[in-house]
C-alpha cells in the first residue's frame, strides 16, 4: 500500500505531489537525475579542490584574492613537497563563475621570483593576458596586480604564470577556472573538475631542478615523477555503478600527456577547450595534451562493491616518452554496494557552431623545426627562428586566417594561441567533424595541422607557443600582432647556453 493515511484530504495532497513528480519525470529526458545526482555520499571527498571565497556580494561578479607563495603540500600520505602555490594549495583555488560574470582577482606575489597570471583560453583584453611586458610588468616579490575581465564563454579554463613557465607551472602554480552555463541542459548532476598534473621532488620534499638534463631535458620535455589528480596521487572517487558523471578535465602538466583508459569503458566527449562541441564523440581512450580541456560524460560500470582504475596509458609523443616507462594508475573508482543503475541513456548535447569562413582566409604557414645540436645546445624554431629572434606574425582586426602548421620535428607539440579560439580544419579549410573550438591543439610529430581563426575586436600582441613548456622555453614560441600599430616586443631572453 502506498499510503498509510486515512484522510481523503491528505490523500489528495499526496496524489497531487505524485502527479507533479510524474510531470517532472516525463518532461525530463530518461537520463535526468535527481538534483542530488546518483553518486554516494562523500563521493568526491578524495578529489576536493581548494576554493577561495567570493568576496563580492554582487551575483554577477566573482571577486577573489590569490597570493602566490611557498607552501608545504602533501600529495600522498607522508609525501610532502615544498611547492610554489596559489593560496597554499595544490592546485590553486578552484574559481567558479557563470558565463557573463565579471571576474576580479587581487593577486599578490610573495614568491622571491617575479611572476604573472595568464588566464589560459579566456577571450580577454590583452592587458589582462598576463604576459610580461606585453600585458603588464612582471609582478615582483611583495607587489600586486588586479586582473579584471568578463567571462564571455562557458567552458573549463585554467590559470598559470607566464614568467619562467616551465619552472613555475612545474613547481605547482596552476588552478582551474570553471565558467558554467546554467542553461546548457546537460542534466548530469554528479559533476567534477579534474586537474591532471605531475610534480617532481626528492625524499626531502625538495623540488626537482627545472633545468635537469640540460638541453636534452628540454627536448624531451621534463615530467614529474608524481602523477596528480587535483593535487593528490591516485585518489579514490566513489561512484554508483552505471550512473553518469560529468568530468571536466584539464591537463596542467608542463610536459606530460594524459592518455586515459577507464578500464576500457567509454568517454563521451561533449566539449573541449572552447565549450561544447557540435556533437558528442565516443571513445574508450582519451588523449589530453598539456593545456587542453575535455568535457566528458562517463558512466563507469562494475560489480557493486568492486573497484576499477583510471589509467594513463603510454603515448608516444617523441623519444623518451615511452622508453622504460610504464602505465600510471591515476585514480581509483570505488563502486558502492547499490545495484548497477539500469538503462542509462547518456545525454547527447549538440551546439550550432558557425565556423570561420575558409574562403578568402589569409593563408599563414608555419614550420616547426629542431635543427641538429650546436655545441651541445638545441633549440626549437618556428619558420627558422627561435622566439628570441622572431618577428611577429600579423593580422588585421576582423581578419580570418587559415594557419597551416607543419611539425617537422620528431616530437609532438600541443600548439597554443592566446586570447582566441581557432577551429581545426582539413587542408581545404573544412572543419574536422565534429566542429569544436580549440585554443590548444596537439600537432603530432611529422604531421601538418590546419586551423581557421578570426581575430575579432581585441587588438594586441598575442602569444603562440608549444604547451610543452620546456619546448616553449627552448624556442617554440612566437607572437601574432593583431590590429594596427607596432607589435609590443616580447622581451623574453634566450636561455643561457651550457
Ligand atoms: Cu597556458 Cu601561454 O599559456
Ligand atoms: Cu613542443
Amino acid at each position: 500500500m502506498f499510503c498509510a493515511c486515512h484522510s481523503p484530504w491528505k490523500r489528495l495532497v499526496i496524489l497531487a505531489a505524485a502527479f507533479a513528480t510524474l510531470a517532472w519525470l516525463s518532461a525530463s529526458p530518461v537520463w535526468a537525475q535527481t538534483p542530488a545526482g546518483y553518486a554516494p555520499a562523500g563521493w568526491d571527498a578524495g578529489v576536493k579542490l581548494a576554493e577561495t571565497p567570493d568576496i563580492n556580494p554582487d551575483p554577477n561578479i566573482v571577486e577573489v584574492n590569490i597570493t602566490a607563495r611557498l607552501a608545504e603540500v602533501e600529495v600522498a600520505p607522508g609525501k610532502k613537497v615544498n611547492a610554489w602555490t596559489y593560496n597554499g594549495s595544490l592546485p590553486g583555488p578552484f574559481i567558479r563563475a557563470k558565463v557573463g560574470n565579471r571576474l576580479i582577482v587581487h593577486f599578490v606575489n610573495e614568491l622571491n621570483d617575479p611572476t604573472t597570471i595568464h588566464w589560459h583560453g579566456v577571450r580577454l583584453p590583452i592587458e589582462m593576458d598576463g604576459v610580461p611586458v606585453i600585458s603588464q610588468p612582471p609582478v615582483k616579490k611583495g607587489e600586486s596586480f588586479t586582473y579584471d575581465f568578463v567571462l564571455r564563454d562557458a567552458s573549463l579554463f585554467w590559470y598559470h604564470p607566464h614568467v619562467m613557465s616551465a619552472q613555475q607551472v612545474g613547481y605547482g602554480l596552476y588552478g582551474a577556472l570553471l565558467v558554467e552555463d546554467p542553461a546548457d541542459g546537460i542534466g548530469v548532476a554528479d559533476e567534477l573538475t579534474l586537474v591532471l598534473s605531475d610534480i617532481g621532488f626528492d625524499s626531502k620534499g625538495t623540488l626537482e631542478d627545472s633545468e635537469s638534463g640540460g638541453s636534452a631535458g628540454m627536448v624531451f620535455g621534463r615530467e614529474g615523477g608524481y602523477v596528480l589528480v587535483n593535487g593528490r596521487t591516485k585518489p579514490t572517487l566513489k561512484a554508483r555503478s552505471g550512473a553518469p558523471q560529468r568530468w571536466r578535465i584539464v591537463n596542467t602538466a608542463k610536459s606530460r600527456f594524459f592518455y586515459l583508459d577507464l578500464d576500457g569503458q567509454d568517454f563521451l566527449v561533449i566539449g573541449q577547450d572552447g565549450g561544447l562541441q557540435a556533437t558528442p564523440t565516443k571513445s574508450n581512450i582519451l588523449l589530453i595534451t598539456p593545456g587542453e580541456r575535455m568535457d566528458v560524460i562517463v558512466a563507469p560500470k562494475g560489480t557493486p562493491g568492486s573497484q576499477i582504475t583510471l589509467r594513463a596509458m603510454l603515448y608516444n609523443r617523441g623519444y623518451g616518452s615511452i622508453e622504460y616507462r610504464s602505465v600510471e594508475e591515476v585514480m581509483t573508482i570505488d563502486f558502492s554496494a547499490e545495484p548497477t543503475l539500469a538503462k542509462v541513456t547518456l545525454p547527447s548535447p549538440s551546439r550550432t557552431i558557425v565556423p570561420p569562413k575558409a574562403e578568402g582566409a589569409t593563408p599563414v604557414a608555419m614550420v616547426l623545426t629542431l635543427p641538429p645540436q650546436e655545441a651541445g645546445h638545441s633549440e626549437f624554431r618556428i619558420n627558422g627562428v627561435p622566439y628570441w629572434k622572431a618577428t611577429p606574425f600579423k593580422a588585421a582586426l576582423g581578419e580570418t586566417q587559415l594557419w597551416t602548421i607543419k611539425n617537422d620535428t620528431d616530437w609532438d607539440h600541443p600548439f597554443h594561441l592566446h586570447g582566441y579560439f581557432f577551429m581545426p580544419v582539413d587542408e581545404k579549410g573544412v572543419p574536422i567533424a565534429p566542429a569544436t573550438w580549440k585554443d590548444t591543439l596537439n600537432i603530432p610529430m611529422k604531421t601538418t595541422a590546419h586551423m581557421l581563426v578570426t581575430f575579432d575586436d581585441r587588438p594586441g600582441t598575442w602569444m603562440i607557443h608549444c604547451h610543452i613548456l620546456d619546448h616553449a622555453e627552448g624556442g617554440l614560441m612566437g607572437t601574432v600582432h593583431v590590429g594596427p600599430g607596432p607589435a609590443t616586443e616580447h622581451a623574453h631572453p634566450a636561455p643561457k647556453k651550457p
Side-chain angles (χ1 to χ4, degrees):
M1 190 53 227
F2 296 97
C3 147
C5 46
H6 303 288
S7 125
W9 175 82
K10 277 192 185 158
R11 282 184 185 223
L12 260 177
V13 170
I14 288 168
L15 258 178
F19 270 117
T21 310
L22 269 178
W24 179 81
L25 277 176
S26 54
S28 315
V30 272
W31 42 264
Q33 302 202 25
T34 55
Y38 291 110
W43 68 295
D44 58 353
V47 288
K48 268 269 177 271
L49 286 163
E51 296 194 27
T52 185
D54 174 2
I55 56 175
N56 195 312
D58 186 328
N60 298 313
I61 302 177
V62 173
E63 187 167 357
V64 295
N65 293 314
I66 292 186
T67 299
R69 59 182 173 88
L70 298 178
E72 186 184 67
V73 291
E74 193 168 29
V75 299
K79 295 269 178 219
K80 292 182 182 162
V81 52
N82 295 301
W84 296 24
T85 72
Y86 291 123
N87 290 4
S89 68
L90 181 73
F94 180 35
I95 305 174
R96 291 176 85 124
K98 292 194 175 59
V99 65
N101 284 178
R102 176 174 163 202
L103 176 64
I104 304 170
V105 177
H106 303 284
F107 175 61
V108 177
N109 181 18
E110 288 179 2
L111 298 166
N112 288 323
D113 294 49
T115 189
T116 59
I117 301 184
H118 166 61
W119 304 90
H120 183 121
V122 180
R123 296 195 296 154
L124 37 59
I126 190 71
E127 295 77 17
M128 295 291 123
D129 199 40
V131 174
V133 186
I134 290 180
S135 304
Q136 62 173 105
V139 185
K140 298 200 197 85
K141 183 184 174 108
E143 291 181 350
S144 58
F145 189 88
T146 298
Y147 296 92
D148 185 344
F149 48 88
V150 171
L151 300 161
R152 33 201 279 190
D153 301 286
S155 195
L156 176 64
F157 300 95
W158 65 292
Y159 59 97
H160 64 79
H162 229 281
V163 176
M164 302 292 288
S165 333
Q167 179 190 45
Q168 297 196 0
V169 172
Y171 283 180
L173 291 170
Y174 46 82
L177 163 62
L178 178 60
V179 183
E180 291 177 289
D181 175 5
D184 70 4
I186 307 299
V188 175
D190 297 325
E191 288 186 77
L192 207 57
T193 292
L194 297 173
V195 180
L196 306 182
S197 64
D198 63 17
I199 195 163
F201 59 92
D202 66 14
S203 57
K204 293 197 189 83
T206 306
L207 290 159
E208 236 159 50
D209 180 8
S210 58
E211 307 273 289
S212 67
S215 216
M218 182 281 288
V219 170
F220 292 166
R222 303 168 180 97
E223 297 183 13
Y226 293 86
V227 171
L228 305 180
V229 179
N230 294 0
R232 269 150 281 192
T233 57
K234 209 185 169 197
T236 297
L237 181 71
K238 292 186 195 157
R240 172 168 179 190
S241 170
Q245 299 191 354
R246 182 179 184 182
W247 294 355
R248 288 168 168 106
I249 314 173
V250 55
N251 179 354
T252 68
K254 62 176 174 172
S255 300
R256 182 184 291 270
F257 282 30
F258 282 90
Y259 196 40
L260 299 176
D261 165 80
L262 181 61
D263 207 37
Q265 303 185 29
D266 283 334
F267 297 93
L268 184 75
V269 178
I270 61 170
Q272 299 192 36
D273 306 345
L276 296 179
Q277 55 190 38
T279 51
T281 41
K282 201 185 264 183
S283 169
N284 63 2
I285 194 107
L286 183 68
L287 178 65
I288 313 179
T289 71
E292 280 192 297
R293 283 89 69 210
M294 291 286 164
D295 189 349
V296 302
I297 294 178
V298 294
K301 243 189 204 163
T303 314
S306 74
Q307 292 184 331
I308 58 171
T309 304
L310 177 72
R311 292 188 172 83
M313 311 307 282
L314 294 178
Y315 181 86
N316 185 9
R317 62 171 181 84
Y319 183 75
S321 58
I322 55 170
E323 291 79 6
Y324 312 107
R325 302 286 296 271
S326 46
V327 168
E328 301 271 357
E329 302 200 326
V330 173
M331 184 165 71
T332 302
I333 317 275
D334 206 342
F335 292 114
S336 65
E338 298 159 281
T340 298
L341 195 71
K343 283 226 177 70
V344 177
T345 311
L346 297 183
S348 188
S350 60
R351 174 182 178 192
T352 309
I353 294 181
V354 183
K357 275 212 177 65
E359 213 192 319
T362 314
V364 173
M366 296 185 199
V367 183
L368 316 181
T369 54
L370 176 70
Q373 288 208 334
E374 278 169 35
H377 174 80
S378 299
E379 66 186 29
F380 282 103
R381 296 177 180 171
I382 301 178
N383 290 357
V385 283
Y387 70 83
W388 51 91
K389 292 184 187 150
T391 46
F393 291 89
K394 291 247 157 50
L397 289 174
E399 182 180 351
T400 296
Q401 299 190 337
L402 175 60
W403 287 13
T404 297
I405 308 176
K406 183 177 184 209
N407 177 358
D408 220 351
T409 76
D410 290 318
W411 276 271
D412 284 21
H413 302 294
F415 185 91
H416 174 47
L417 165 66
H418 280 211
Y420 294 90
F421 295 123
F422 54 80
M423 182 167 292
V425 296
D426 66 15
E427 61 288 344
K428 293 195 192 74
V430 179
I432 293 168
T436 192
W437 292 115
K438 299 289 289 171
D439 53 58
T440 309
L441 177 70
N442 188 45
I443 309 179
M445 56 187 97
K446 300 290 181 194
T447 66
T448 300
H450 308 269
M451 51 185 70
L452 278 171
V453 53
T454 300
F455 294 97
D456 56 26
D457 54 348
R458 289 168 302 120
T461 306
W462 301 89
M463 302 229 50
I464 51 173
H465 60 88
C466 178
H467 226 288
I468 291 180
L469 297 171
D470 286 315
H471 289 181
E473 304 280 352
L476 223 172
M477 189 150 54
T479 54
V480 50
H481 181 69
V482 179
T488 321
E489 269 308 305
H490 179 45
H492 210 127
K496 293 180 261 356
K497 298 219 172 174

